[in-house]
Amino acid sequence: MSDILRELLRVSEKAANIARACRQQEALFQLLIEEKKEGEKNKKFAVDFKTLADVLVQEVIKQNMENKFPGLGKKIFGEESNEFTNDLGEKTVIRLCPTEEETVDLLNKVLNGNRLASEALAKVVHQDIVFIDPALDLIEINIPQDILGIWVDPIDSTYQYIKGSADIKSNQGIFPSGLQCVTILIGVYDIHTGVPLMGVINQPFVSQDLNTLRWKGRCHWGLSYMGTNIHSLLPSVSGRNSRETQSQETKTPSSEAECPHPFSAVISTSEKETIKTALSRVCGERVFRAAGAGYKSLCVVLGLVDIYIFSEDTTFKWDSCAAHAILRAMGGGMVDLKECLERNPATGLDLPQLVYHVANEGAAGVDQWANKGGLIAYRSRKQLEAFLGLLIQYLGPADAHT
């Protein structure tokens, strides 16, 4: 099974190279943007865009996985359609061709005859990538391939990707906007139970060389299956269950009892006022705003904040699956906010974890796969329970999810 995870990491790095290559020249980049059509739009944005980078990344992931693991490509689902229309109104289905030259010819149609740009992109698409992580060699686990489904968000935070701000300053390590908020998300789940099993988050734009203006990225991963929990953030990966290791490292509210605001949270800039007001009472000044659902989840994975909370229904399965899998491997998870607020802890019901295999009834288009009740991402169950206890106190019953 480490072979599938290793290949996902390899293709995520290839995807990051594509994302970086598409951003390298501004003149080229302007050719790549196409407005999304009705039915594909995220209703959160008045104008929503897809880019050739999005479509290329998604197709490269699909076809690389299919080549290595026949049958798996058909079980990879993502945000983007693979159809692109150029300035002349000519529609082209983007795919990874067998040879670099064929890919050049295909991209040339999309890029209105810009052969130099097409050749530069095709070179990156066909470039061989070697991804080495010694921790992967320690994973000896067999997950049947036929139970796996994969959600891909080829470029999360497309608006920040298009805007391309490189000079945003972080606030205690958290970037409110900019290229650092862009992520490539690959989440693997059990098609029968909907439980996330493996996750890869690739951050293509982490640091920039001021001389060459070239970007370097980083990649994080996690695996959680049948009692085996392992992730890339462990200081040293051993045979021990990382869930046990993590629970010892994670601070609990009781150890911070003297602190009036023991929690920190990251939120969307569009979060509701009622939630923001309640959070200011729970977290004080430790509420951070950031772009990108994938990036906000990553802030929790990295321990920059305790909680990512979002009350709207405008994140989707491809936004949350990757981080959810990594958080599970760390002893955390991702739950439905609405159900948490309506839950009676006295009944002993388990927390409503998000699942990834069932579409929303009566919904059409992308809304079929929306996280309808909002979400909370967390690293520690004890922390989540204590956080929810405080949040519910400060939210009136009518305010909880209106």
Side-chain angles (χ1 to χ4, degrees):
M1 184 41 57
S2 56
D3 287 346
I4 285 184
L5 182 53
R6 193 190 311 276
E7 186 66 13
L8 288 173
L9 286 161
R10 197 182 72 80
V11 297
S12 84
E13 193 55 31
K14 181 178 277 197
N17 284 345
I18 294 168
R20 286 187 285 261
C22 287
R23 271 253 51 124
Q24 209 64 44
Q25 304 173 44
E26 192 60 34
L28 162 63
F29 191 71
Q30 291 307 315
L31 297 170
L32 307 185
I33 301 167
E34 176 186 276
E35 187 175 349
K36 286 188 178 178
K37 299 170 180 62
E38 288 301 330
E40 290 182 339
K41 289 185 179 181
N42 182 336
K43 62 189 177 185
K44 182 176 161 188
F45 304 109
V47 177
D48 195 4
F49 291 96
K50 71 178 178 184
T51 70
L52 179 57
D54 282 290
V55 180
L56 263 181
V57 164
Q58 186 163 294
E59 290 308 300
V60 163
I61 292 170
K62 274 187 181 181
Q63 293 182 44
N64 274 260
M65 295 308 293
E66 176 64 26
N67 292 345
K68 198 81 179 277
F69 304 98
L72 197 55
K74 298 180 184 68
K75 295 157 79 176
I76 297 177
F77 311 103
E79 181 179 13
E80 305 297 346
S81 72
N82 63 342
E83 188 180 89
F84 209 90
T85 308
N86 70 6
D87 288 349
L88 303 174
E90 298 166 339
K91 290 184 179 178
T92 304
V93 174
I94 300 297
R95 67 187 190 282
L96 180 59
C97 300
T99 68
E100 188 173 323
E101 189 58 36
E102 288 173 281
T103 301
V104 171
D105 291 340
L106 182 71
L107 293 175
N108 203 38
K109 293 179 188 174
V110 176
L111 296 176
N112 305 311
N114 188 328
R115 192 152 190 95
L116 280 177
S118 303
E119 287 171 352
L121 272 182
K123 184 177 180 181
V124 179
V125 166
H126 285 270
Q127 188 177 31
D128 215 16
I129 298 290
V130 177
F131 189 95
I132 298 170
D133 189 332
L136 290 173
D137 297 330
L138 300 175
I139 304 174
E140 286 298 333
I141 184 168
N142 181 35
I143 307 176
Q145 185 178 316
D146 61 1
I147 71 162
L148 302 181
I150 301 178
W151 282 113
V152 172
D153 191 340
I155 294 182
D156 186 58
S157 200
T158 308
Y159 176 74
Q160 297 301 324
Y161 180 64
I162 291 170
K163 194 174 176 187
S165 300
D167 56 354
I168 306 295
K169 298 286 183 282
S170 72
N171 181 3
Q172 297 183 44
I174 298 167
F175 288 87
S177 59
L179 282 170
Q180 288 89 346
C181 297
V182 174
T183 52
I184 294 161
L185 308 171
I186 309 175
V188 181
Y189 64 95
D190 184 320
I191 59 173
H192 302 301
T193 64
V195 171
L197 305 175
M198 290 182 276
V200 173
I201 300 178
N202 197 307
Q203 201 180 2
F205 306 97
V206 173
S207 59
Q208 188 179 32
D209 185 312
L210 296 180
N211 294 318
T212 64
L213 298 182
R214 293 192 176 277
W215 284 89
K216 287 185 178 177
R218 64 182 172 187
C219 195
H220 307 285
W221 57 267
L223 179 149
S224 179
Y225 180 71
M226 300 282 283
T228 296
N229 295 283
I230 189 167
H231 57 85
S232 56
L233 283 98
L234 280 173
S236 61
V237 179
S238 68
R240 287 182 302 167
N241 186 319
S242 67
R243 194 177 292 274
E244 295 168 359
T245 310
Q246 185 64 30
S247 65
Q248 291 166 12
E249 294 170 353
T250 304
K251 295 176 185 176
T252 59
S254 59
S255 68
E256 297 180 321
E258 70 282 358
C259 177
H261 300 296
F263 299 107
S264 57
V266 63
I267 62 170
S268 168
T269 51
S270 63
E271 187 53 84
K272 294 174 186 169
E273 286 303 320
T274 50
I275 298 288
K276 287 195 281 192
T277 301
L279 278 177
S280 68
R281 299 186 71 181
V282 176
C283 303
E285 298 297 311
R286 300 172 70 199
V287 179
F288 303 89
R289 288 166 177 76
Y295 177 69
K296 288 189 279 285
S297 301
L298 180 60
C299 288
V300 180
V301 167
L302 296 176
L304 296 171
V305 290
D306 302 312
I307 297 288
Y308 160 37
I309 182 170
F310 189 50
S311 64
E312 302 283 352
D313 61 355
T314 50
T315 66
F316 301 87
K317 300 306 178 189
W318 50 78
D319 292 313
S320 55
C321 189
H324 192 170
I326 300 173
L327 288 166
R328 280 189 77 231
M330 302 174 82
M334 206 174 285
V335 290
D336 183 296
L337 171 61
K338 184 172 187 288
E339 288 185 33
C340 281
L341 296 177
E342 293 172 349
R343 162 179 167 263
N344 180 1
T347 61
L349 293 175
D350 204 10
L351 290 163
Q353 295 289 324
L354 299 185
V355 290
Y356 295 89
H357 63 317
V358 180
N360 296 316
E361 283 186 37
V366 295
D367 285 340
Q368 293 177 84
W369 303 107
N371 294 316
K372 280 293 185 187
L375 59 82
I376 305 179
Y378 64 96
R379 298 179 94 218
S380 155
R381 175 163 180 149
K382 281 185 180 177
Q383 272 192 326
L384 176 66
E385 293 278 17
F387 171 82
L388 281 171
L390 289 173
L391 184 71
I392 289 167
Q393 279 182 40
Y394 297 127
L395 281 174
D399 297 331
H401 198 80
T402 56

